[in-house]
Amino acid sequence: MDEPRIGVFVCHCGINIAAYVNVPELVEYAKGLPNVVHAERNLFTCSEEGISAIKRGIKEYNLNRVLVASCTPRTHEPLFRAACEDAGLNKYLFEFVNIRDQCSWVHMREPERATEKAKDLVRMGVAKARLLEPLEEIEVKVAPSALVIGGGVVGMEAALNLARQGFDIHLVEKEPELGGTLRSVYKLFPTNQEATKLIKLFVEQIEKHPKIKTYLSSKVKEVTGFIGNFDVNLDGKGGASKFNVGTIVVATGADKLKPVGQYGYGKMSNVITQLELEERMKKGEPLGQNVVMVNCVGARIPERTYCSRICCMTAIKNASLIKESNPEARVWILHRDLMTYGVDFEKYQRRAMEMGVRFIRYSLESPPEVVGDGKVERIKVYHELWGKDIELPCDMLVLTTPLIAGEDNQDISKMLKVSLDEFGFFLEAHLKLRPVEFAMDGIYICGSARWPTDVAEGISQAFAAASKAAGPLRLGYVKPEAINAWIDEDKCSGCGICELLCPFQAIELQPRDDRRVSHVSEVVCKGCGTCSAACPSGAIIMHHFTNEQILAQIEALFS
Amino acid sequence: MAEFEPRIIVFACNWCTYAAADIAGTNRIQYPPNVRIIRVMCSGMVAPEHISLALESGADGVLVAGCHPGDCHYISGNLKAEERVQMVSKVTNMLGIEEERVRLKWIATSEGTIFAQTIRDMVEELKKLGPSPFRESRQVSQEKPALDLEDILQETKAYYCLECSKCTSICPVAKYDSSCSPRSVIEDVALGLERESTRDKKLFSCLGCYACSLRCPTDVDFPAFVQRVRALAFGADEHGCPAHGGFLHSVTRLMARSPYKQKRLGWLTKEYRVSDNSDILYFVGCAPYFDPVFQYLELRTLDITEASLKILNHLGVEPMLLPDEKCCGHDALWTGDTETFQRLAEHNTRVIREAGIKKIIFSCPEGYRTFKLDYPKYGFKLDCELQHISEFVAGKMGEQELKLKEFRKKVTYQDPCRLGRHLGIYDSPRQLLQAIPGIELAEMEKNREYALCCGTSAFTNCDLYSHEMRVGRLQEAKATGAEILVTDCPKCQIHFRCAMNNKGEEKGPDINIEVMDLAKLVADALE
């Protein structure tokens, strides 16, 4: 690299900066810093005029580093980087100093000290800029196909959506037929549509779609590779299969909790779960005159603190359906709180109350008790408002249980290198910023595999996941982060600390000659630098945030 | 006089705290202009040495700030940052640096007010503490070394070099790294090529293990020669590649310049008897500092210290421990930082003289060597008897009986280079081992003066060759059939354990053998 020739562009930001920071003084100061060959000020560096000034400066002064002192890189870095690129300068030779959010706006009452701080920040920025190095972004080809794991309605929706966009889809279901959890459900809230009809609708489309290949009674055995290029191995009824996909959607759903040992479940014949109730209703079996439902069985307890969200509505739906088919029946729902969010659900609950479904609140401290010999005869529950125990006649006790994390989640999480949360559900990269994506690029999540969802939510998520998964497929390539870790193999001692630390499992010790050295997959690496901060040999260079660059900033501040 | 204005460095993660500072900006939340933000992608990127070097440079406070747990853009980088800051805080607190000077805080994007408040609080706290003493004592530039190339040639008799390459033939580094040759290092100096000599990265690969001296027909003191040339290189801002990011060297420099009272004896419990009136000093050395740093290797260096005290107590010795003892300066000296070394040596000899000490017992071979050979050479004289704990105990064994339980194990012994070839102590550690009933000592193929090295010295240039040296030595140990590799240097332990660091769930380490300190083994066998 040639001797650094740095150009400094200080922005007035109208009056936003210039009213509090002495911009002309700052420009003069910048001119005196090492390797700064040009400094100027612009009314708005981000304006057409400012951008041309940067481009002109690069040409006129033969700049090989550009520093802009203005606002935040979080909004304006792409713009200034693009200006550098337009002028033929690698965009990583650009450095940003924030003198608006960090100086003028927050030290308005101390303009002199704000100016001094701005000088310090510019000096630190120049110190880093001197050490910047150009980085190249690589392109990785993406195979135009996807794997969808899980053939419930959510998985099927994701598969259909992707297939309709023209990609080859491999849909894998571990059961002998498609449909997932909904296969045991009677009707769906809040429309009371029959679940089997909905499943049929999906299955028909799946079956006739030429782009979808379905694998029943099959499990994903092994996945290797990274975004754009995952190699998948299946184990299934029809033997093993192997294929290559660009992206993966996980829609494996959740398991149902069997409340064995609670409220006589498993011992007393008239104690069943909501899903078992739905099976009976489907077959039209009699349920008795008095039905009591207990919500939150096995949920929101110290061992399982979460709310499964969909069970309240399930109970209300089933209670309403009982009342619809037999208005004389008496149905009580014993609950702790009611999760009936949104307009439709609230309406649905009011309708149930109008139909005669009765709601009684109980607390975790005094749960309902079963009275009866061999079978449930009555349910005793402490009525909080009356302040006393009441007894309800009971011919059928229905327990409302939460969805729990799928039993395969552990295996899948290891295989795909994706995270699970504390309850064993899959965990997306970021709750708000990247909701249906895993931290591992190219793998997406939807439906109850992430968290208990109802059908409508699950399908919305399927659309979201499918559109995310389609992005790289449509583009045909991905450009991994250029700000990533790089191993100096001559220094690497092969101790393996980095491999243990990497949150993305992007680092692996690999044989090199007759030893093992760390290898960073530049496609998988996200550039967090956790490895470089721990390397005992100083063998890991964290591009764009190298040790030397960070230390130069510290050094410059105190020089 | 103007009011003291603290200077604070904030390492802010790009996704949360840097954004929070932006939010403080857009909302015009005013806070004192005492902070300078260094943007990092993730708080997990902030290495221990970034914090210690900021302190060394004169920062009055350092704040590492990132996303709340669970919010990290990189899954768990913030948790790594937390571990690191806790480790650094343990070390800086031990140095006596006020805990308010190093902070960790989770500040989310939306928390502009919290960012501003954190800064206000820090500025207020730091104003109460006053300026960092390191602002003044900051090392501006290395003094010109007292010696030039010609002096070095004279002092180490390197001009006698016959260029026979016998040194290179026995050099453990050269065995693995063919580009490293003691002979050519000497040649550069002999030809007066100062630039070439000091810039040679391999200059910092020498372990100073004295294997070369076994072979040299003309008695050239190559390690001393290297030590001197490194001082020249240091003056020219050449440092080799410091291991562990240079954090340990930075801590040594902080210690050398620190006016603070250390809190280095926090581990000392009533279980161990020490006396302020004793004229026998037990030199604790770096063990308390190494302890938090090398926790990740499941190594507790203080075990060595505690074991040594247990042994001394067992023999009826209640030694003095100096709360203001400092690092012996070994690593500073061997990396060319003679200024730091001299500061440390001056301090140690002064406090030891003031305490009226007649005898110093060491468990660390490096401390022992440095006191015995380097302090006098640099004019820091002590009128004390110096002994390694194994010498002391072996000496006592004639008069006093060590009551030792049976310990039925086959062990092998690693001679640390500083204890063996530097000081010629080979017998007393073996005597101690053999005093334990049931112990079978199996010697490695290369033992005593021919012992091989742990691969890194002075925490510099730890590379693939270092690893190969370690694995080679561990293979030798394994070949004896021993269950335990005993050594008495904490660094040997650190390096051997690192070589056996677990490589993920399935792969496992290259080789596996238990590594243990001699003092610990003996102390465990005491009845």
Side-chain angles (χ1 to χ4, degrees), chain A residues 4-45:
Chain A
R5 295 178 60 81
I6 305 173
V8 177
F9 299 83
V10 184
C11 179
H12 283 241
C13 197
I15 56 162
N16 281 305
I17 291 171
Y20 309 98
V21 170
N22 186 334
V23 173
E25 190 183 318
L26 184 57
V27 170
E28 283 314 303
Y29 176 79
K31 282 181 183 164
L33 292 170
N35 297 102
V36 173
V37 294
H38 171 66
E40 67 171 77
R41 55 201 169 99
N42 321 102
L43 188 57
F44 287 100
T45 311

Short mmCIF file of all heavy atoms in Angstrom, two decimals, chain A residues 4-45:
data_model
loop_
_atom_site.label_atom_id
_atom_site.label_comp_id
_atom_site.label_asym_id
_atom_site.label_seq_id
_atom_site.Cartn_x
_atom_site.Cartn_y
_atom_site.Cartn_z
N PRO A 4 -0.27 6.66 3.00
CA PRO A 4 -1.65 7.15 3.05
C PRO A 4 -1.76 8.63 2.67
O PRO A 4 -0.94 9.44 3.09
CB PRO A 4 -2.06 6.95 4.52
CG PRO A 4 -1.07 5.99 5.07
CD PRO A 4 0.19 6.16 4.29
N ARG A 5 -2.74 8.92 1.83
CA ARG A 5 -3.09 10.31 1.51
C ARG A 5 -4.55 10.49 1.87
O ARG A 5 -5.44 10.02 1.17
CB ARG A 5 -2.86 10.58 0.01
CG ARG A 5 -1.38 10.48 -0.40
CD ARG A 5 -1.21 10.70 -1.90
NE ARG A 5 -1.69 12.01 -2.33
CZ ARG A 5 -0.99 13.14 -2.23
NH1 ARG A 5 0.23 13.11 -1.71
NH2 ARG A 5 -1.48 14.28 -2.64
N ILE A 6 -4.75 11.15 3.01
CA ILE A 6 -6.10 11.19 3.57
C ILE A 6 -6.77 12.52 3.26
O ILE A 6 -6.16 13.59 3.39
CB ILE A 6 -6.05 11.00 5.11
CG1 ILE A 6 -5.30 9.70 5.45
CG2 ILE A 6 -7.45 11.00 5.71
CD1 ILE A 6 -5.05 9.50 6.92
N GLY A 7 -8.03 12.44 2.83
CA GLY A 7 -8.85 13.63 2.66
C GLY A 7 -9.90 13.67 3.75
O GLY A 7 -10.56 12.66 4.02
N VAL A 8 -10.04 14.83 4.42
CA VAL A 8 -11.01 14.96 5.50
C VAL A 8 -12.12 15.91 5.05
O VAL A 8 -11.84 17.03 4.60
CB VAL A 8 -10.34 15.51 6.78
CG1 VAL A 8 -11.37 15.71 7.89
CG2 VAL A 8 -9.25 14.55 7.25
N PHE A 9 -13.36 15.46 5.14
CA PHE A 9 -14.52 16.27 4.76
C PHE A 9 -15.38 16.49 5.98
O PHE A 9 -15.94 15.55 6.52
CB PHE A 9 -15.30 15.58 3.64
CG PHE A 9 -14.47 15.38 2.41
CD1 PHE A 9 -13.61 14.29 2.30
CD2 PHE A 9 -14.50 16.30 1.37
CE1 PHE A 9 -12.81 14.11 1.18
CE2 PHE A 9 -13.72 16.14 0.23
CZ PHE A 9 -12.86 15.04 0.14
N VAL A 10 -15.44 17.76 6.40
CA VAL A 10 -16.21 18.07 7.61
C VAL A 10 -17.53 18.68 7.18
O VAL A 10 -17.57 19.63 6.39
CB VAL A 10 -15.44 19.03 8.53
CG1 VAL A 10 -16.22 19.26 9.81
CG2 VAL A 10 -14.06 18.46 8.85
N CYS A 11 -18.60 18.14 7.75
CA CYS A 11 -19.94 18.56 7.35
C CYS A 11 -20.51 19.58 8.35
O CYS A 11 -20.38 19.41 9.56
CB CYS A 11 -20.82 17.32 7.32
SG CYS A 11 -22.52 17.65 6.88
N HIS A 12 -21.11 20.63 7.83
CA HIS A 12 -21.81 21.59 8.69
C HIS A 12 -23.14 21.01 9.16
O HIS A 12 -23.66 21.40 10.19
CB HIS A 12 -22.11 22.88 7.92
CG HIS A 12 -20.93 23.77 7.75
ND1 HIS A 12 -20.92 25.05 8.26
CD2 HIS A 12 -19.74 23.60 7.15
CE1 HIS A 12 -19.75 25.62 7.95
NE2 HIS A 12 -19.02 24.76 7.28
N CYS A 13 -23.69 20.14 8.35
CA CYS A 13 -25.04 19.63 8.54
C CYS A 13 -25.98 20.83 8.74
O CYS A 13 -26.72 20.90 9.73
CB CYS A 13 -25.11 18.65 9.71
SG CYS A 13 -26.62 17.65 9.69
N GLY A 14 -25.94 21.76 7.83
CA GLY A 14 -26.69 23.01 8.00
C GLY A 14 -26.17 23.71 9.24
O GLY A 14 -24.99 24.05 9.32
N ILE A 15 -27.08 23.85 10.22
CA ILE A 15 -26.60 24.41 11.49
C ILE A 15 -26.45 23.32 12.54
O ILE A 15 -26.01 23.56 13.65
CB ILE A 15 -27.55 25.49 12.04
CG1 ILE A 15 -28.96 24.92 12.20
CG2 ILE A 15 -27.54 26.71 11.14
CD1 ILE A 15 -29.83 25.77 13.11
N ASN A 16 -26.83 22.09 12.19
CA ASN A 16 -26.85 21.03 13.19
C ASN A 16 -25.48 20.81 13.83
O ASN A 16 -25.37 20.55 15.02
CB ASN A 16 -27.33 19.72 12.58
CG ASN A 16 -28.82 19.69 12.43
OD1 ASN A 16 -29.55 19.88 13.41
ND2 ASN A 16 -29.30 19.50 11.21
N ILE A 17 -24.45 20.88 13.01
CA ILE A 17 -23.10 20.74 13.57
C ILE A 17 -22.49 22.13 13.74
O ILE A 17 -21.99 22.47 14.81
CB ILE A 17 -22.22 19.86 12.65
CG1 ILE A 17 -22.72 18.40 12.68
CG2 ILE A 17 -20.76 19.93 13.09
CD1 ILE A 17 -22.08 17.48 11.67
N ALA A 18 -22.60 22.94 12.69
CA ALA A 18 -21.84 24.19 12.66
C ALA A 18 -22.27 25.19 13.73
O ALA A 18 -21.48 26.06 14.11
CB ALA A 18 -21.99 24.83 11.28
N ALA A 19 -23.48 25.04 14.25
CA ALA A 19 -23.90 25.99 15.28
C ALA A 19 -23.20 25.75 16.61
O ALA A 19 -23.17 26.63 17.46
CB ALA A 19 -25.42 25.92 15.46
N TYR A 20 -22.65 24.57 16.79
CA TYR A 20 -22.05 24.25 18.09
C TYR A 20 -20.58 23.87 17.99
O TYR A 20 -19.83 24.03 18.93
CB TYR A 20 -22.83 23.11 18.76
CG TYR A 20 -24.31 23.37 18.79
CD1 TYR A 20 -25.17 22.83 17.83
CD2 TYR A 20 -24.85 24.22 19.76
CE1 TYR A 20 -26.52 23.11 17.84
CE2 TYR A 20 -26.21 24.51 19.78
CZ TYR A 20 -27.04 23.96 18.81
OH TYR A 20 -28.38 24.24 18.82
N VAL A 21 -20.19 23.31 16.85
CA VAL A 21 -18.79 22.94 16.67
C VAL A 21 -18.17 23.95 15.70
O VAL A 21 -18.76 24.27 14.67
CB VAL A 21 -18.67 21.51 16.09
CG1 VAL A 21 -17.24 21.21 15.66
CG2 VAL A 21 -19.14 20.48 17.11
N ASN A 22 -17.02 24.43 16.03
CA ASN A 22 -16.35 25.39 15.16
C ASN A 22 -15.73 24.66 13.97
O ASN A 22 -14.63 24.13 14.04
CB ASN A 22 -15.27 26.13 15.97
CG ASN A 22 -14.64 27.25 15.18
OD1 ASN A 22 -14.62 27.22 13.94
ND2 ASN A 22 -14.13 28.25 15.89
N VAL A 23 -16.51 24.58 12.91
CA VAL A 23 -16.11 23.76 11.76
C VAL A 23 -14.84 24.28 11.07
O VAL A 23 -13.93 23.50 10.79
CB VAL A 23 -17.29 23.58 10.77
CG1 VAL A 23 -16.83 22.87 9.50
CG2 VAL A 23 -18.41 22.79 11.43
N PRO A 24 -14.73 25.60 10.80
CA PRO A 24 -13.49 26.07 10.16
C PRO A 24 -12.25 25.72 10.98
O PRO A 24 -11.23 25.28 10.43
CB PRO A 24 -13.69 27.59 10.09
CG PRO A 24 -15.16 27.79 10.14
CD PRO A 24 -15.72 26.68 10.97
N GLU A 25 -12.36 25.87 12.29
CA GLU A 25 -11.23 25.55 13.16
C GLU A 25 -10.90 24.06 13.07
O GLU A 25 -9.73 23.67 13.01
CB GLU A 25 -11.61 25.92 14.61
CG GLU A 25 -10.44 25.86 15.58
CD GLU A 25 -10.90 26.18 17.02
OE1 GLU A 25 -11.71 27.12 17.20
OE2 GLU A 25 -10.45 25.47 17.94
N LEU A 26 -11.94 23.25 13.02
CA LEU A 26 -11.75 21.80 12.93
C LEU A 26 -11.05 21.43 11.62
O LEU A 26 -10.16 20.58 11.60
CB LEU A 26 -13.12 21.11 13.04
CG LEU A 26 -13.14 19.58 13.07
CD1 LEU A 26 -12.31 19.04 14.23
CD2 LEU A 26 -14.59 19.06 13.21
N VAL A 27 -11.44 22.10 10.55
CA VAL A 27 -10.83 21.82 9.25
C VAL A 27 -9.34 22.18 9.27
O VAL A 27 -8.50 21.39 8.83
CB VAL A 27 -11.56 22.59 8.13
CG1 VAL A 27 -10.79 22.51 6.82
CG2 VAL A 27 -12.97 22.04 7.94
N GLU A 28 -9.04 23.34 9.85
CA GLU A 28 -7.64 23.75 9.95
C GLU A 28 -6.84 22.75 10.77
O GLU A 28 -5.72 22.39 10.44
CB GLU A 28 -7.52 25.16 10.59
CG GLU A 28 -7.86 26.28 9.63
CD GLU A 28 -7.17 26.13 8.27
OE1 GLU A 28 -5.93 26.04 8.23
OE2 GLU A 28 -7.90 26.06 7.24
N TYR A 29 -7.49 22.29 11.87
CA TYR A 29 -6.84 21.32 12.74
C TYR A 29 -6.55 20.03 11.97
O TYR A 29 -5.45 19.48 12.03
CB TYR A 29 -7.72 21.03 13.95
CG TYR A 29 -7.16 19.96 14.84
CD1 TYR A 29 -6.12 20.26 15.73
CD2 TYR A 29 -7.60 18.64 14.77
CE1 TYR A 29 -5.58 19.29 16.53
CE2 TYR A 29 -7.05 17.65 15.56
CZ TYR A 29 -6.04 17.98 16.44
OH TYR A 29 -5.48 17.01 17.22
N ALA A 30 -7.55 19.59 11.20
CA ALA A 30 -7.40 18.32 10.47
C ALA A 30 -6.25 18.39 9.48
O ALA A 30 -5.52 17.42 9.27
CB ALA A 30 -8.70 17.98 9.75
N LYS A 31 -6.05 19.58 8.91
CA LYS A 31 -4.98 19.74 7.92
C LYS A 31 -3.60 19.42 8.50
O LYS A 31 -2.70 19.02 7.79
CB LYS A 31 -4.98 21.17 7.36
CG LYS A 31 -6.07 21.39 6.32
CD LYS A 31 -6.03 22.81 5.78
CE LYS A 31 -7.16 23.03 4.80
NZ LYS A 31 -7.40 24.46 4.55
N GLY A 32 -3.49 19.63 9.81
CA GLY A 32 -2.19 19.41 10.45
C GLY A 32 -1.95 17.98 10.90
O GLY A 32 -0.89 17.67 11.45
N LEU A 33 -2.92 17.12 10.69
CA LEU A 33 -2.77 15.74 11.19
C LEU A 33 -1.94 14.92 10.21
O LEU A 33 -1.93 15.18 9.01
CB LEU A 33 -4.14 15.10 11.39
CG LEU A 33 -4.96 15.71 12.54
CD1 LEU A 33 -6.40 15.18 12.51
CD2 LEU A 33 -4.32 15.40 13.89
N PRO A 34 -1.24 13.89 10.72
CA PRO A 34 -0.36 13.11 9.86
C PRO A 34 -1.10 12.47 8.69
O PRO A 34 -2.20 11.93 8.88
CB PRO A 34 0.20 12.03 10.80
CG PRO A 34 -0.62 12.08 12.03
CD PRO A 34 -1.19 13.45 12.12
N ASN A 35 -0.50 12.57 7.53
CA ASN A 35 -1.01 11.98 6.30
C ASN A 35 -2.28 12.63 5.75
O ASN A 35 -2.86 12.16 4.78
CB ASN A 35 -1.26 10.47 6.43
CG ASN A 35 0.02 9.71 6.70
OD1 ASN A 35 0.29 9.31 7.82
ND2 ASN A 35 0.85 9.54 5.66
N VAL A 36 -2.73 13.71 6.38
CA VAL A 36 -3.89 14.42 5.81
C VAL A 36 -3.36 15.38 4.75
O VAL A 36 -2.56 16.26 5.06
CB VAL A 36 -4.67 15.17 6.90
CG1 VAL A 36 -5.76 16.05 6.27
CG2 VAL A 36 -5.29 14.18 7.88
N VAL A 37 -3.79 15.17 3.50
CA VAL A 37 -3.28 16.04 2.42
C VAL A 37 -4.33 17.04 1.97
O VAL A 37 -4.06 17.95 1.21
CB VAL A 37 -2.81 15.20 1.20
CG1 VAL A 37 -1.59 14.37 1.58
CG2 VAL A 37 -3.91 14.32 0.66
N HIS A 38 -5.55 16.84 2.44
CA HIS A 38 -6.61 17.76 2.05
C HIS A 38 -7.71 17.74 3.11
O HIS A 38 -8.07 16.68 3.62
CB HIS A 38 -7.20 17.35 0.69
CG HIS A 38 -8.43 18.12 0.33
ND1 HIS A 38 -8.40 19.47 0.08
CD2 HIS A 38 -9.74 17.75 0.20
CE1 HIS A 38 -9.62 19.90 -0.20
NE2 HIS A 38 -10.45 18.87 -0.13
N ALA A 39 -8.21 18.94 3.45
CA ALA A 39 -9.36 19.00 4.36
C ALA A 39 -10.26 20.13 3.89
O ALA A 39 -9.77 21.19 3.50
CB ALA A 39 -8.91 19.24 5.80
N GLU A 40 -11.54 19.87 3.90
CA GLU A 40 -12.48 20.92 3.50
C GLU A 40 -13.77 20.77 4.26
O GLU A 40 -13.99 19.77 4.95
CB GLU A 40 -12.74 20.86 2.00
CG GLU A 40 -13.49 19.60 1.56
CD GLU A 40 -13.92 19.65 0.10
OE1 GLU A 40 -13.06 19.45 -0.76
OE2 GLU A 40 -15.12 19.90 -0.16
N ARG A 41 -14.64 21.80 4.14
CA ARG A 41 -15.93 21.69 4.81
C ARG A 41 -17.03 21.84 3.79
O ARG A 41 -16.87 22.50 2.77
CB ARG A 41 -16.05 22.73 5.93
CG ARG A 41 -15.81 24.16 5.49
CD ARG A 41 -15.45 25.01 6.70
NE ARG A 41 -14.98 26.32 6.30
CZ ARG A 41 -15.76 27.40 6.30
NH1 ARG A 41 -17.02 27.33 6.69
NH2 ARG A 41 -15.26 28.56 5.92
N ASN A 42 -18.14 21.18 4.09
CA ASN A 42 -19.28 21.21 3.19
C ASN A 42 -20.52 21.55 3.99
O ASN A 42 -20.65 21.13 5.13
CB ASN A 42 -19.49 19.84 2.55
CG ASN A 42 -18.19 19.15 2.18
OD1 ASN A 42 -17.74 18.26 2.89
ND2 ASN A 42 -17.56 19.60 1.11
N LEU A 43 -21.44 22.28 3.37
CA LEU A 43 -22.68 22.63 4.06
C LEU A 43 -23.43 21.35 4.42
O LEU A 43 -23.87 21.15 5.55
CB LEU A 43 -23.53 23.54 3.18
CG LEU A 43 -24.76 24.13 3.86
CD1 LEU A 43 -24.37 24.91 5.12
CD2 LEU A 43 -25.52 25.02 2.89
N PHE A 44 -23.58 20.48 3.43
CA PHE A 44 -24.12 19.14 3.67
C PHE A 44 -23.26 18.17 2.88
O PHE A 44 -23.35 18.12 1.65
CB PHE A 44 -25.57 19.02 3.19
CG PHE A 44 -26.55 19.74 4.05
CD1 PHE A 44 -27.03 20.99 3.69
CD2 PHE A 44 -27.00 19.17 5.25
CE1 PHE A 44 -27.94 21.67 4.50
CE2 PHE A 44 -27.91 19.85 6.05
CZ PHE A 44 -28.38 21.11 5.68
N THR A 45 -22.41 17.41 3.54
CA THR A 45 -21.54 16.49 2.80
C THR A 45 -22.37 15.42 2.09
O THR A 45 -21.95 14.87 1.07
CB THR A 45 -20.49 15.86 3.74
OG1 THR A 45 -19.88 16.91 4.50
CG2 THR A 45 -19.40 15.13 2.98
#
